[in-house]
Amino acid sequence: MNLLHDRWLPFHAWDGSITYRSPLAIADPEVVDLALPRADFQGAAYQWLIGLLQTALPPKDHDDWLDRAAEPPSREALEAAFAPLATAFELEGDGPRFMQDRDPLEDAKPTSVSGLLIDSPGANGLKLNTDHFVKRGRVEAICSDCAAMALFTMQINAPSGGAGYRVGLRGGGPLTTLVLPEDAQASLWQRLWLNVLPSQSLARQGKIEPLRSDDDTLFPWMGPTQLSDKKGAVVVPDDMHALHAYWSMPRRFRLLFEDTPCRCDLCGRETARSVAEIRAKNYGANYDGPWQHPLTPYRRDPKKPSEPPLSTKGQPGGLGYRHWSNLVLDDAENSGALPAAVVHDYLYGKVPANRQARREGEAFEPLLRQARLWAFGYDMDNMKPRGWYGVEMPLVAVPPEQQEVLRSWVQDVTELARQVAWMVRNQIKVAWFSRPADAKGDMSPIDTHFYEATQAGFFHALFGMQQALLDGEDTHMPTDIAEVWYRGLQREALRLFDAQALSGPVAELDMKRVTGARRNLQAWLSGRSKGSKIITQFAKKGGFALAGGKESTTTEDVAP
C-alpha cells in the first residue's frame, strides 16, 4: 500500500457523499473536506496533507502562494510533485515502511493494535482494571487505511508511555492551530493551502538540502532508527532537515498485516486485509532542543530568552476566547506568547500580500476577507488522556503596525472577564458554604459556563475593535465596545449567580448568606467595593461612567 498512490483517505464531496480517494483528490473542486472516523484522525489527516504539500509543493514566496490559492494545481501537477517522494510512503513491504522502524522488531512481543490509539487503556490500566470509562476490547482489528492514520496520529501526538517510550517532537499532546477560510463551502484545497508556508517564511530550523525520498534526516524511517538508549542521544534541529518537524517519529512500531477479512473496528468498512497486532519497542528518537513545529503555538519565558520555548498543550477547562490572544497575537516580550508560524504568516505575510495584490488590481478577496482559527489537541495527564478539544474561532487581521494596540485591547477585555469569572465563583461559594475557604471540589464548571455564555459578546467586541482600528482609531478602545462588554459581563455574572446560588433544595438554602453574597457581587461589579479596582480602571480606560453611588462593602478580593 502506497499512501501517495492508493485510495485510502475519505473525502467529503459537495453532494454530501464520502468517497475514498488518493491524496491527488485534494485539488478537486468537488471535494470540500476530509471525513475521518475520529476527531484526532481528522486533525492528523489535515496535518499529514499540509506536511505533504509543504514538502512536495512549497510556494517560493507569497506571490507564488497567491497564484496557487486562486488556481489550484491540476491532478497531473500534483502527481508530478508527489512522484519523487513515493518510496518514502510505502506502508508495507520489505523496504522502509512509512513511520515504522527499519528493524522488524521481531524480539518484541506482539500487542493489540489498539496500542496505537491514545485513548485506549494502557498495559497498567489493564493490569489494575482501571478501564472504567474507556473499555478494553473496543478495537481488535482495523483496516490498513485506519492503521496508517492511527500510526501517524500517535507519532505526532505521542505522550509519555513508560521507560524509554518517547514523547513527540512537540511534547505529549500538543495543541495544533490551523487557519481555515470563513466560507463553509470552501474547497479542501483552500482549507489546506492556507496552512502551507512560502519557503521564505518557514522557520530556518535544520538543514536546507535538496529534497530526496531516501533522506533519513527528513523521513526518519528511511534509515536506521536513532536510538536513545544511551545518555545524551538526542535529536536536535541542527542535525535534521528543515522539514523534519512535519515527519517526526519518536516511537518504534511495526504494523503486522494479515490477509484476514474483518469489519474495521474504527471505520466500520469490510476489509480483506487487516491489522490486529503491532510490535513496539522503546528508546526511539529522543527530541530535544529548540524545536518549533510550524502548526503549534509556543510560549517563551521572557525572563529566560535563551531557553527553548515550550509548546502549548491542551488544559482542563477546554479552549475558548480567553486563549484567543495567545494563539493569535505575538507577545514574546511580555506574556511570551508565540503563535504558530502558520498563524503568524497568515497575519503578517498572506494578508498583506493579498492587500497589495488587490491594490494592484488582482482579485483574491473571497479567500482572505475573513478566516477562522481551528485549535485542537488532546488534554493529557502524562500518558492518560483527559479529553480532546477542538474549537473554531474567528481570526481577525489588522495591519502589522496595529497588532500591538489590538493585543492590548484584547488583553484588557479578557482580563476583565477572568476577574469577573473568579468573583462569581467565589461569591457562589460564599452563598453555598458557611466556611467557603474550606470548601473542596471542582468549581471550574462555573467558569466554563461563564465563558461560554460571554463568548459571542467577546467576538462581537473583537470585530468592533478590528473595524475601529481599520477606521483609524488607535489610541483608546471605543467607548461603545468597552461599555457593551462590561455590561454584558455584569449581566451574565448576576444571572449565573442567581441560577447557581439558588439551585439547591429550598430547605437547605441560607437566604441570609445568599443575599449577602449577591450584594457583595453586585457592589464589586459596580466598582463600589475596595477590591473592584479593575472595574473602575476598565471603565476609565473605556471612557464610560459606572452607574450607582458609592457603597461600603467588605469585598476586597481580587483574582490571583
Side-chain angles (χ1 to χ4, degrees):
M1 176 177 173
N2 187 285
L3 301 181
L4 299 186
H5 298 156
D6 286 284
R7 303 161 71 91
W8 69 286
L9 282 172
F11 294 97
H12 266 300
W14 270 99
D15 61 5
S17 63
I18 295 176
T19 55
Y20 279 73
R21 300 172 64 180
S22 79
L24 296 175
I26 57 175
D28 184 339
E30 296 297 315
V31 173
V32 295
D33 205 351
L34 289 158
L36 278 296
R38 290 167 48 108
D40 56 348
F41 283 15
Q42 182 80 353
Y46 263 86
Q47 294 179 74
W48 190 87
L49 288 169
I50 291 166
L52 178 61
L53 287 172
Q54 191 71 63
T55 305
L57 205 66
K60 294 192 297 280
D61 49 34
H62 286 108
D63 288 339
D64 190 18
W65 183 89
L66 285 169
D67 289 340
R68 293 190 206 174
E71 187 173 351
S74 65
R75 179 186 174 90
E76 291 72 23
L78 283 178
E79 203 165 15
F82 295 166
L85 307 178
T87 56
F89 287 83
E90 295 287 350
L91 191 65
E92 304 182 46
D94 297 330
R97 293 179 171 193
F98 176 75
M99 287 218 162
Q100 297 171 67
D101 208 275
R102 283 295 297 271
D103 188 313
L105 306 182
E106 291 178 343
D107 56 338
K109 182 181 177 181
T111 58
S112 170
V113 71
S114 65
L116 291 177
L117 305 174
I118 290 176
D119 58 341
S120 288
N124 198 46
L126 297 177
K127 180 181 177 182
L128 299 176
N129 289 321
T130 56
D131 53 327
H132 302 302
F133 301 106
V134 181
K135 301 293 187 184
R136 71 190 75 188
R138 294 177 308 137
V139 177
E140 296 182 344
I142 61 179
C143 65
S144 300
D145 304 344
C146 286
M149 193 48 67
L151 177 65
F152 181 72
T153 305
M154 170 58 84
Q155 296 286 18
I156 63 172
N157 292 296
S160 59
Y165 287 93
R166 303 303 184 190
V167 299
L169 178 143
R170 297 175 271 184
L175 203 64
T176 298
T177 52
L178 301 182
V179 181
L180 297 179
E182 177 65 23
D183 182 3
Q185 303 301 314
S187 69
L188 179 60
W189 173 261
Q190 292 171 315
R191 297 169 191 271
L192 296 171
W193 194 243
L194 272 174
N195 298 285
V196 176
L197 299 170
S199 298
Q200 64 183 20
S201 302
L202 196 64
R204 294 301 177 188
Q205 284 190 313
K207 299 181 288 187
I208 308 297
E209 294 186 345
L211 201 62
R212 298 191 341 263
S213 64
D214 62 347
D215 183 353
D216 62 358
T217 69
L218 171 59
F219 302 124
W221 57 92
M222 299 304 289
T225 295
Q226 297 196 37
L227 299 178
S228 57
D229 53 348
K230 295 179 181 176
K231 188 176 180 181
V234 296
V235 179
V236 296
D238 287 346
D239 295 335
M240 307 305 286
H241 192 283
L243 295 172
H244 177 82
Y246 290 96
W247 307 108
S248 60
M249 193 180 84
R251 295 291 188 88
R252 306 180 67 191
F253 290 114
R254 289 287 285 197
L255 304 182
L256 304 182
F257 293 92
E258 300 174 350
D259 289 321
T260 304
C262 76
R263 179 185 291 274
C264 176
D265 286 334
L266 293 178
C267 68
R269 292 178 303 148
E270 297 289 345
T271 179
R273 192 160 172 76
S274 58
V275 180
E277 292 183 322
I278 58 173
R279 287 197 177 99
K281 204 167 180 178
N282 54 0
Y283 296 111
N286 186 15
Y287 290 99
D288 197 8
W291 288 100
Q292 277 189 259
H293 194 290
L295 306 181
T296 287
Y298 285 78
R299 181 181 292 276
R300 185 187 299 282
D301 185 345
K303 297 179 181 176
K304 301 175 182 176
S306 60
E307 293 191 358
L310 299 175
S311 63
T312 302
K313 314 287 197 313
Q315 296 293 327
L319 295 165
Y321 71 82
R322 62 192 184 281
H323 305 106
W324 188 90
S325 177
N326 286 348
L327 298 180
V328 174
L329 303 175
D330 284 273
D331 189 26
E333 294 185 0
N334 295 303
S335 67
L338 300 171
V342 69
V343 175
H344 179 91
D345 183 68
Y346 170 79
L347 294 173
Y348 293 93
K350 296 183 174 79
V351 170
N354 175 255
R355 288 194 176 123
Q356 179 62 31
R358 290 169 61 189
R359 281 195 289 269
E360 294 172 357
E362 303 281 354
F364 299 112
E365 69 279 5
L367 182 61
L368 295 178
R369 183 170 294 162
Q370 287 184 347
R372 290 175 293 148
L373 181 76
W374 178 22
F376 56 87
Y378 273 104
D379 169 16
M380 301 294 300
D381 177 10
N382 290 318
M383 65 182 74
K384 299 175 186 174
R386 288 183 292 224
W388 170 268
Y389 297 121
V391 299
E392 291 187 16
M393 296 181 274
L395 185 55
V396 167
V398 297
E401 62 273 18
Q402 293 176 319
Q403 289 280 341
E404 179 57 28
V405 178
L406 178 63
R407 187 190 61 75
S408 171
W409 290 357
V410 169
Q411 287 186 345
D412 282 346
V413 299
T414 52
E415 177 61 15
L416 182 67
R418 190 180 75 87
Q419 295 273 357
V420 173
W422 183 85
M423 194 62 191
V424 172
R425 173 165 31 96
N426 271 11
Q427 292 308 314
I428 289 175
K429 284 178 69 176
V430 170
W432 281 351
F433 305 106
S434 59
R435 299 176 60 186
D438 296 334
K440 306 297 181 185
D442 182 11
M443 303 287 285
S444 63
I446 293 174
D447 294 37
T448 302
H449 193 114
F450 179 78
Y451 286 123
E452 288 178 351
T454 54
Q455 178 154 300
F458 170 81
F459 288 116
H460 182 77
L462 183 63
F463 283 121
M465 294 178 204
Q466 178 195 34
Q467 191 57 52
L469 289 170
L470 294 177
D471 290 344
E473 175 64 62
D474 60 359
T475 53
H476 302 290
M477 187 189 307
T479 296
D480 57 335
I481 294 174
E483 184 166 9
V484 167
W485 176 244
Y486 160 72
R487 302 289 178 204
L489 294 182
Q490 184 185 43
R491 185 168 54 252
E492 184 56 33
L494 292 171
R495 193 200 65 75
L496 182 58
F497 177 89
D498 291 345
Q500 293 294 325
L502 300 175
S503 61
V506 174
E508 297 180 13
L509 291 178
D510 184 331
M511 292 308 296
K512 183 178 180 182
R513 224 166 42 213
V514 171
T515 54
R518 194 182 196 283
R519 192 164 52 248
N520 284 345
L521 176 61
Q522 197 162 17
W524 188 90
L525 290 169
S526 301
R528 301 198 304 267
S529 65
K530 189 176 179 181
S532 56
K533 189 175 179 182
I534 186 168
I535 299 290
T536 54
Q537 287 181 332
F538 185 83
K540 186 177 180 182
K541 275 188 178 181
F544 64 91
L546 295 167
K550 198 164 185 178
E551 179 178 316
S552 175
T553 77
T554 57
T555 305
E556 298 181 0
D557 297 325
V558 62

